[in-house]
Amino acid sequence: MVLRGIDICGVGTVTGYGWGTGPFWDGLVSGKPAATLTPGYGLDGNELAWVARVPDGGEGADGRSRFARAMRAAARAAITDARERGWRPGRQVGLLHAVVLGEVDLWRNFYRSGPPKQMRDYLAQMPSTPMSTLMQEYGFHGPAMNVSAMCASGNAGMLTAKAWLDAGIVDDVVFVATDLSLTPDNLEQFVRLGVAVADTEPLDGCRPFQEGSRGFVMGEASAAMVLSRQTDRAYARILGGAMTHDGHHVTSIEPGLSEVQRCFREALANAGVSPSDVRYLNAHGPGTAQCDRAEGTVLETLFPAEARVYSVKPLVGHCQGAASAVEVAAAALAYEHGVIPASPIVAPAHPQLLDGATPMDGGITVKSSLGMGGHNSVLVLAPPA
């Protein structure tokens, strides 16, 4: 049996730029980072930090936290968008939620508050609760499951969705990835690891594939997509992909890059695409030395010299468990608008790095995501058929 790709037929986002795909896209093409100098950080909560935090908002009925409201809002926006573009749900609609740290704020408050504990407060924190309420809202009855692979969780969720569709388990999948974990404690640990930057403006600190990069500025997001083979007006098509694991270290990439490179090769083979067909690499691109080296090596040894690389992390921030989903949403919208929302170049850079918003001429986009702990993932995207 020959299996074809799956279509991204609806998109919804909540990011540091605001609630909705409009603010998200406008923010990206402006070339201005979403991060702002935000109070309440540091060990005593009396310091400022550059972070791309999701602002308060959403519907109160969707949950008590920004996390629940953002997840529901992004998913609802994607479903509404897909329906407006001609999608009609099949009999079995599944739900996949990519999540690493869920309801961080509620759990902190729950454990720090004294007794008695209310049952509703406890249930609000369960990872099943936002999924259950979304399934109830739409009357969906397909499988519903959480997916977790650190920063690669978004890619992992979309590959799982494709596997469900290929196996005939579902007719459609609502996929959403959510990470609103920008607490002072979490930021402090990433800074101590030497990978996050909080003390300088994003474009000064986070410069993927450019000189002087110190790491990433942390962000938050929820990004959702409707994935289906039943649409007449898709944003983009996921042709295939792959995942591997380094099996090497809890934070560092294996220096030989054998599993990273295998992941790229197997993703292309799974998608039926030759390396010479690749036009763009939408990189993990957090601006760390390890990731720049790993993805730069793949770019130079596997893809043609005409291929171009870009990262949106300096703009939207590193959205942790939602990172690759936000970045796939950006790639899908790029096909729709004919513009790649690349970050501006501010220092001597790799010769294949795109400089700011750039006209897009279609072609194959490879989306890589290298999650902490050795999670390698690659998706292959194409314009809609």
Side-chain angles (χ1 to χ4, degrees), residues 140-159:
F140 295 154
H141 299 286
M145 190 175 81
N146 290 303
V147 177
S148 189
M150 299 305 287
C151 309
S153 296
N155 277 7
M158 283 177 271
L159 287 170

Side-chain angles (χ1 to χ4, degrees), residues 268-314:
L268 293 171
N270 180 261
V273 168
S274 168
S276 62
D277 295 330
V278 174
R279 186 71 184 85
Y280 304 105
L281 171 58
N282 178 327
H284 182 57
T288 62
Q290 284 193 86
C291 285
D292 275 8
R293 173 182 169 268
E295 292 181 300
T297 298
V298 172
L299 177 67
E300 294 160 8
T301 60
L302 183 61
F303 299 136
E306 297 77 22
R308 293 294 178 261
V309 62
Y310 69 101
S311 169
V312 299
K313 279 189 173 70

